[in-house]
Amino acid sequence: MPDMPNRPYPAAPQTEQPPHTHAAPASPAQTQPAQQSAEPPEPAATLYPPTRRHIVQGLGTGAAALALGAVAAPSAAQAAPDHAAPGTAPSKHPTAAQPNAPRFFNPAEFALLSAACERIFPADAQGPGAIALGVPHFIDGQMDTPWGRGELWYMQGPHRTDAPANLGYQLPYSPQQIYKVGLSGMMAWVQQTHQAAFETLAPEVQDSILTALEQNATQFDALPAATFFEQLRSDTIEGAFADPLHGGNRQMAGWLMMGFPGARGDYMDWVDRYDTPYPYGPVSIAGESAEHG
């Protein structure tokens, strides 16, 4: 990662948040300072311990805004030296000795991504968390697709940040660039405010940081923190429940948690059995099956 400039961005005003300017298009697998404080932020009560309900609703909505410092992130062109322009193929690929190495993210980015995904979708009594489900690898794989490169998005200007939401996406970043700018900015921001890497912090502190992003407490370059957080949140949920063909939902464990039957082709014998749980495990697009425990 390039050296981060040692100059803070002003925080987003606590009383007036930037308008939501878009609803980011879904990826092919489907269908965000006040004066810097020396003390760590208080954990959001609605985040810890997390529940599956919080995952869908978002992290800590309605909690008090956190006073965290902000730092500048590299520009979109600087953020990804191996990806100078959208559409450029990643220069690092897994080798036989590293079958699980990320293809798009560097090791530091991938460690942060993995820890953040796990806090958004943590393991609990209902089932495995994001890391065990392969969500970070799902997101990594999605970057090297037409969707990840922004080829399926309308990316021409002007980009009007004051435009109403129904005019769609209003930022110049592809998904690749959202992650590169967002992860680089978050990495430096957390280091400045906590003098540690995100993945080494206590879970409740990680949750408070994610809550601050969700509430748009800062921005990274011209990327609002809330935009980065929502991309991360939605992709985490998608990776937990998409067909395993796309790299997440390993062993169909996400589907098993939901009781979702997957790509089974014939339900006619069960159409009218409203009070009877479906007894068979899910089947993937590739024809793999899993049985209920």
Side-chain angles (χ1 to χ4, degrees):
M1 185 183 77
D3 291 335
M4 306 297 297
N6 187 22
R7 54 184 179 87
Y9 274 125
Q14 297 295 321
T15 58
E16 180 180 355
Q17 299 292 349
H20 294 287
T21 60
H22 75 285
S27 76
Q30 284 181 336
T31 89
Q32 161 93 106
Q35 183 178 357
Q36 180 180 339
S37 172
E39 297 298 324
E42 292 295 327
T46 57
L47 274 176
Y48 188 72
T51 67
R52 301 291 179 189
R53 181 168 175 266
H54 291 144
I55 294 163
V56 178
Q57 291 182 331
L59 296 178
T61 301
L66 299 175
L68 295 178
V71 297
S75 67
Q78 295 173 323
D82 293 330
H83 314 274
T88 303
S91 62
K92 297 181 177 67
H93 295 276
T95 65
Q98 296 177 304
N100 293 319
R103 299 172 62 91
F104 179 79
F105 299 108
N106 65 42
E109 292 166 343
F110 195 71
L112 172 53
L113 174 70
S114 298
C117 289
E118 186 70 16
R119 293 313 302 155
I120 292 172
F121 199 96
D124 60 17
Q126 298 178 49
I131 292 176
L133 287 168
V135 169
H137 285 90
F138 164 84
I139 296 175
D140 181 70
Q142 289 297 305
M143 295 299 99
D144 193 20
T145 65
W147 174 84
R149 294 187 290 270
E151 295 171 9
L152 305 181
W153 296 24
Y154 182 80
M155 299 295 293
Q156 301 302 312
H159 304 286
R160 290 185 50 192
T161 58
D162 61 340
N166 63 354
L167 292 186
Y169 187 63
Q170 294 291 327
L171 291 173
Y173 300 106
S174 68
Q176 282 187 352
Q177 293 165 329
I178 289 175
Y179 275 104
K180 279 291 182 178
V181 173
L183 288 172
S184 296
M186 182 179 173
M187 197 179 302
W189 187 43
V190 173
Q191 185 65 44
Q192 176 181 307
T193 57
H194 296 282
Q195 295 76 50
F198 178 86
E199 59 270 21
T200 67
L201 298 172
E204 60 269 24
V205 179
Q206 293 178 339
D207 291 345
S208 71
I209 292 169
L210 292 172
T211 301
L213 296 182
E214 182 192 31
Q215 295 175 345
N216 212 35
T218 188
Q219 66 180 36
F220 308 123
D221 197 21
L223 177 69
T227 299
F228 168 62
F229 173 83
E230 180 53 30
Q231 189 72 54
L232 174 63
R233 187 190 71 88
S234 61
D235 291 349
T236 297
I237 295 170
E238 183 180 339
F241 297 115
D243 190 275
L245 177 69
H246 303 288
N249 189 18
R250 290 176 176 169
Q251 286 79 53
M252 289 168 275
W255 290 353
L256 287 170
M257 281 188 279
M258 298 174 63
F260 180 65
R264 288 185 178 273
D266 184 2
Y267 302 94
M268 293 306 296
D269 292 342
W270 297 87
V271 169
D272 297 323
R273 302 188 187 186
Y274 302 108
D275 298 324
T276 304
Y278 190 71
Y280 304 116
V283 173
S284 71
I285 291 175
E288 300 168 326
S289 62
E291 296 301 325
H292 290 293

